[in-house]
């Protein structure tokens, strides 16, 4: 590897190890996960929609809440200002979080279909597994914290 590539990797790794930002991300993630879990439980218990449709709806509402709080608090000092810049970050955040959704859906499918785990509990496990993918990608791609 070239020196510039090694330095680019080091810079990104250092940017990820911000205890205060990580703590904020965890707190915001907890709020978003709570929204996701409650909406999933309500939709799956009181409607006839499939767990997959319920999960998509709960996921999008949860990531919207997460984005708004992260934009205003966790990553408030990162990224350009203005409606267009925020809209692009929201779009990038949704794309990034598709990876987290894919992880969650695989975990849900395996735990629910293969092991008979309760949907809401399987969802909590899936959210936990996808958390680190989301933190890394949101930090480096959505808000570009390594460009401080």
């Amino acid at each position: 590897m070239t020196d510039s590539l090694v330095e680019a990797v080091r810079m990104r790794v250092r940017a990820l190890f911000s205890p205060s930002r990580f703590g904020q991300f965890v707190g915001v993630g907890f709020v978003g996960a709570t929204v996701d879990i409650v909406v999933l439980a309500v939709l799956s218990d009181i409607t006839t929609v499939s767990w997959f449709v319920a999960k998509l709806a709960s996921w999008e509402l949860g990531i919207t809440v997460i984005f708004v709080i992260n934009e205003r608090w966790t990553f408030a000092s990162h990224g350009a200002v203005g409606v267009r810049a925020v809209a692009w970050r929201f779009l990038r955040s949704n794309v990034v979080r598709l990876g987290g959704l894919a992880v969650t859906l695989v975990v849900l499918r395996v735990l629910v279909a293969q092991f008979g785990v309760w949907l809401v509990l399987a969802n909590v496990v899936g959210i936990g597994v996808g958390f680190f993918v989301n933190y890394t990608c949101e930090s480096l791609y959505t808000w570009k914290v390594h460009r401080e």
Side-chain angles (χ1 to χ4, degrees):
M1 285 198 280
T2 66
D3 288 342
S4 60
L5 178 59
V6 170
E7 184 53 35
V9 170
R10 281 186 186 144
M11 183 173 49
R12 283 162 175 78
V13 168
R14 278 192 305 267
L16 289 174
F17 291 108
S18 167
S20 62
R21 185 172 47 244
F22 184 79
Q24 289 171 313
F25 195 84
V26 168
V28 172
F30 181 77
V31 171
T34 301
V35 169
D36 183 311
I37 291 163
V38 168
V39 171
L40 178 64
V42 168
L43 289 176
S44 65
D45 285 348
I46 67 169
T47 70
T48 59
V49 299
S50 72
W51 69 264
F52 183 78
V53 172
K55 177 57 189 173
L56 289 179
S58 69
W59 172 75
E60 185 58 40
L61 185 58
I63 67 163
T64 300
V65 168
I66 287 169
F67 177 82
V68 169
I69 299 170
N70 275 333
E71 179 71 19
R72 300 281 182 173
W73 184 44
T74 310
F75 300 101
S77 63
H78 299 281
V81 296
V83 173
R84 187 175 179 171
V86 172
W88 276 112
R89 277 194 297 278
F90 182 67
L91 178 62
R92 281 195 310 263
S93 181
N94 270 267
V95 169
V96 162
R97 290 192 178 261
L98 279 173
L101 175 63
V103 168
T104 300
L105 290 175
V106 168
V107 170
L108 280 173
R109 174 78 172 110
V110 169
L111 292 180
V112 171
Q114 302 298 318
F115 297 102
V117 174
W118 179 43
L119 177 64
V120 174
L121 179 58
N123 189 50
V124 170
V125 173
I127 289 169
V129 172
F131 171 81
F132 290 100
V133 171
N134 287 335
Y135 176 70
T136 301
C137 293
E138 287 282 43
S139 295
L140 298 179
Y141 181 69
T142 303
W143 281 279
K144 304 178 188 220
V145 298
H146 57 287
R147 293 187 178 173
E148 292 182 320

